Amino acid sequence: MNKQLKKAIKYYDKFAKVYDLFSPKWYYGNARKYAIQQMALKEGSTVLNVPCGTGQNLEYFQKNMNNTGLIISIDLSEGMLEKAKEVVNKNDWKNVHIVKEDATKVNTTWLATQYDNTLRADAILCDLGLSGFPDWEKVIDNLYELLAPKGRLVIMDWYLPKPTLRGKPIKWIGKGEVDRPIYQYLQSKTNDFSVDTSFNRGGVFVATGIKS
Ligand SMILES: C[S@@+](CC[C@H](N)C(=O)[O-])C[C@H]1O[C@@H](n2cnc3c(N)ncnc32)[C@H](O)[C@@H]1O
């Protein structure tokens, strides 16, 4: 792990205790609900969530999948994963795997080692991660490769292309960049693409790429 990533994860390990207070469900509520709707989840779906953070998406996944299928929730911060595990244990959910891994290493080889080489995701949600990950284009490439045919990669993140006062606290709290052309990169990978840039007063987008 490089120094910068180590620093970010150490920060999230501590921040985990208060993450849900500083980033409460209502703040990204509309974007999150739309993102999950875009995943088109069904009973029995296989879902990946990278990074899963404290597990704020889990209740929505479960509701849409009627507590069936497989949910693989990945993050690199033990502190954040502990919070996600608390949610899983409290609800006694058996179909959720909480996995500690670096998002940049989640690829077909990784999935084959952890599960089997035929497993592919019906939907992947990458929420508030790519603005902070190193090598973010490669992460998009890898996640896209993990989709089943017609599978959906849904990305929710910040995009503030011009420096503004608003971007500063977001960068500081999230330890990421707010001006990465993330959805534009996803768009370049697929013909079946849509984006809604209207969330959080135009600062947050939800983009969907469907694998052909
Ligand atoms: C802003 S939080 C978003 C969490 C969650 N997706 C949400 O919307 O609440 C960013 C998360 O990315 C995780 N993270 C940062 N770098 C990572 C990496 N290289 N691999 C996996 N997770 C990482 C942090 O631990 C943190 O939980």
Side-chain angles (χ1 to χ4, degrees):
M1 210 192 291
N2 73 35
K3 225 171 146 184
Q4 204 185 344
L5 181 57
K6 223 180 206 170
K7 202 172 152 196
I9 297 306
K10 212 171 152 190
Y11 163 80
Y12 272 108
D13 280 342
K14 287 194 184 138
F15 189 30
K17 291 185 186 75
V18 291
Y19 182 85
D20 291 336
L21 286 175
F22 276 85
S23 187
K25 280 185 185 163
W26 62 262
Y27 187 67
Y28 292 106
N30 289 340
R32 213 178 275 288
K33 276 183 202 142
Y34 180 72
I36 288 160
Q37 189 191 320
Q38 285 296 103
M39 292 171 81
L41 300 174
K42 296 195 280 286
E43 285 201 4
S45 291
T46 295
V47 171
L48 250 74
N49 185 196
V50 196
C52 67
T54 57
Q56 289 195 5
N57 298 311
L58 286 169
E59 65 173 281
Y60 305 110
F61 294 157
Q62 294 287 33
K63 205 169 165 195
N64 283 279
M65 289 157 62
N66 203 12
N67 292 359
T68 66
L70 173 63
I71 301 167
I72 305 172
S73 296
I74 302 166
D75 204 285
L76 193 52
S77 155
E78 274 175 24
M80 297 296 266
L81 290 172
E82 278 310 312
K83 291 282 173 190
K85 275 182 202 158
E86 281 174 20
V87 177
V88 172
N89 293 339
K90 199 173 114 198
N91 290 283
D92 198 26
W93 285 326
K94 305 291 185 210
N95 61 332
V96 182
H97 294 183
I98 303 284
V99 184
K100 185 183 168 193
E101 190 53 272
D102 182 346
T104 62
K105 302 210 167 90
V106 176
N107 56 20
T108 46
T109 314
W110 178 85
L111 200 67
T113 321
Q114 298 287 317
Y115 294 88
D116 71 73
N117 57 10
T118 59
L119 187 76
R120 288 294 178 266
D122 299 302
I124 300 178
L125 177 60
C126 192
D127 48 335
L128 306 174
L130 291 159
S131 49
F133 294 159
D135 217 0
W136 59 272
E137 290 104 327
K138 187 75 192 146
V139 175
I140 294 180
D141 293 343
N142 288 340
L143 295 180
Y144 193 73
E145 226 184 316
L146 293 181
L147 290 172
K150 298 281 170 211
R152 289 163 173 245
L153 174 56
V154 179
I155 300 173
M156 173 185 116
D157 221 315
W158 283 91
Y159 184 54
L160 296 168
K162 291 188 191 121
T164 56
L165 272 181
R166 202 177 161 205
K168 288 196 175 172
I170 292 155
K171 278 174 75 168
W172 186 78
I173 294 170
K175 299 287 176 257
E177 302 300 327
V178 291
D179 57 355
R180 291 180 173 173
I182 296 169
Y183 71 76
Q184 296 85 338
Y185 187 76
L186 178 63
Q187 185 168 23
S188 73
K189 290 189 67 75
T190 172
N191 292 326
D192 208 339
F193 171 86
S194 65
V195 66
D196 186 333
T197 58
S198 68
F199 302 100
N200 297 67
R201 293 189 288 126
V204 172
F205 70 88
V206 174
T208 308
I210 303 180
K211 195 163 184 179
S212 46

